[in-house]
Amino acid sequence: GGRYVVYHIFLDGFVLCKVRYSDMHRWNEKLRRVFKDCIPRFPPKYYLAMTEKMADQRRHHLEQYLQKVADISSIVTSEIFGKFFRKMQQETFRITEVSAVLDVFLPDLQKIRADIQTSDTAQTLLETVANKIGLSRDLQRYFGLFLVQWKSLEEMSVLKKLAPFESPVLSLETLKEQQCTIMILKSYMDRSLDKTVMQNSCALNLLCTQAVSHMRRGWSCPTEQQHQTLNALLETGQKREFLEAAWHLKYYGYIQVDPCTCDYPEPDCPAVVRVGYEGISCCIKLPSNQIQEDHFEISRIKCWRVNMFSKSSIDDEVLLDLSFEYCFANKSCKWITIHTKQAFLISMFMRQVLLEWPAKKCENAIEIVSRKILVSSLY
């Protein structure tokens, strides 16, 4: 056969699968038959040999096409969409459809063993685990499956939330050298939703164990008095009262990323970054060794983007950063960049905050320039 291009599809910063143009062209035709005019324009065929410039334009247009398709919920939740990416994942990693046993961790590290197929989706796995632990169907939408990486029993990194159409078995396969597991965690940011979710005993247990996990890892910061109160409530089994008390913790419900650097207020400042419903919190170490704490309200962020790049043309390592344009109280605006491998995770939670905001908070539209799906090419 002739020379052809293989495209690497990245989802939230991780390789999802590899595809050829012909694969996507056939998929587009299937989508168009079902969804008709909802489907964005597909990049046209070239009947002559492509120049390097033409090849890069096609890659860019395919990326734009996937972004637009992924923004249409009726398509993303369809069988045509999910089946295509599952098939591409299987072909990419050469895994046949067989029975598998997968361990899913609860926040307290209890393991739930699930019998699934390698082709099953994250949504199917979530429903299987939820049924095993007694989480009612109407509350399953408040939780998600996350890929987490372990550095020790007490130290973990949340890497990404599995998309409903992903195959968790195949996604784990791509990270088999990084000691990753799957954990069920709450997927919303607004703590007021706890009041609805905690009515179910299983959901209440998940919320409590996640709050305890965050305390033990230093993600939330209880005072000594709060620590004593919360421990006393736990020891007496008062889970509802424990959770209500935990709401008052500094950084309750925030997700902390690994130590990273940011360019505010000066370049290359080491920082501890957390993202929550109220915004992004940065505990920054200045060149003078002083610690400065800054809080960036999401309502003051005009737009943001995730940048993905390599150190050099011969280096396979991918670097990520998240940049956002922030409007300070004095009306001045500044671009701030956080250099972290979890840039897509922060972006995902920022998007979730916007989805949960009341309409009155969205009067000033925020432009989201972050990209979930990226395409790179390999001849």
Side-chain angles (χ1 to χ4, degrees), residues 158-271:
V158 180
L159 299 184
K160 64 169 286 186
K161 180 184 177 185
L162 291 173
F165 59 83
E166 275 186 83
S167 162
V169 173
L170 300 180
S171 294
L172 275 177
E173 178 67 19
T174 67
L175 299 168
K176 60 184 178 182
E177 296 179 2
Q178 298 188 38
Q179 294 183 308
C180 291
T181 56
I182 295 175
M183 182 175 285
I184 183 170
L185 298 168
K186 71 176 185 180
S187 58
Y188 60 89
M189 305 299 284
D190 182 1
R191 65 185 174 200
S192 69
L193 293 175
D194 282 359
K195 295 177 181 177
T196 298
V197 178
M198 65 193 289
Q199 302 307 314
N200 174 275
S201 59
C202 175
L204 174 61
N205 187 60
L206 287 173
L207 295 180
C208 286
T209 53
Q210 186 167 334
V212 171
S213 170
H214 285 197
M215 285 172 53
R216 288 177 177 167
R217 293 188 171 92
W219 292 12
S220 56
C221 301
T223 64
E224 185 60 36
Q225 181 59 51
Q226 286 176 321
H227 205 280
Q228 291 176 7
T229 300
L230 290 167
N231 279 340
L233 292 170
L234 278 178
E235 288 171 3
T236 54
Q238 300 180 70
K239 294 182 179 179
R240 187 179 300 272
E241 292 77 8
F242 166 84
L243 194 61
E244 290 171 350
W247 292 341
H248 301 287
L249 294 179
K250 188 177 184 180
Y251 304 130
Y252 173 80
Y254 279 63
I255 296 294
Q256 181 173 308
V257 302
D258 291 349
C260 55
T261 61
C262 69
D263 66 356
Y264 179 86
E266 298 184 43
D268 299 320
C269 288

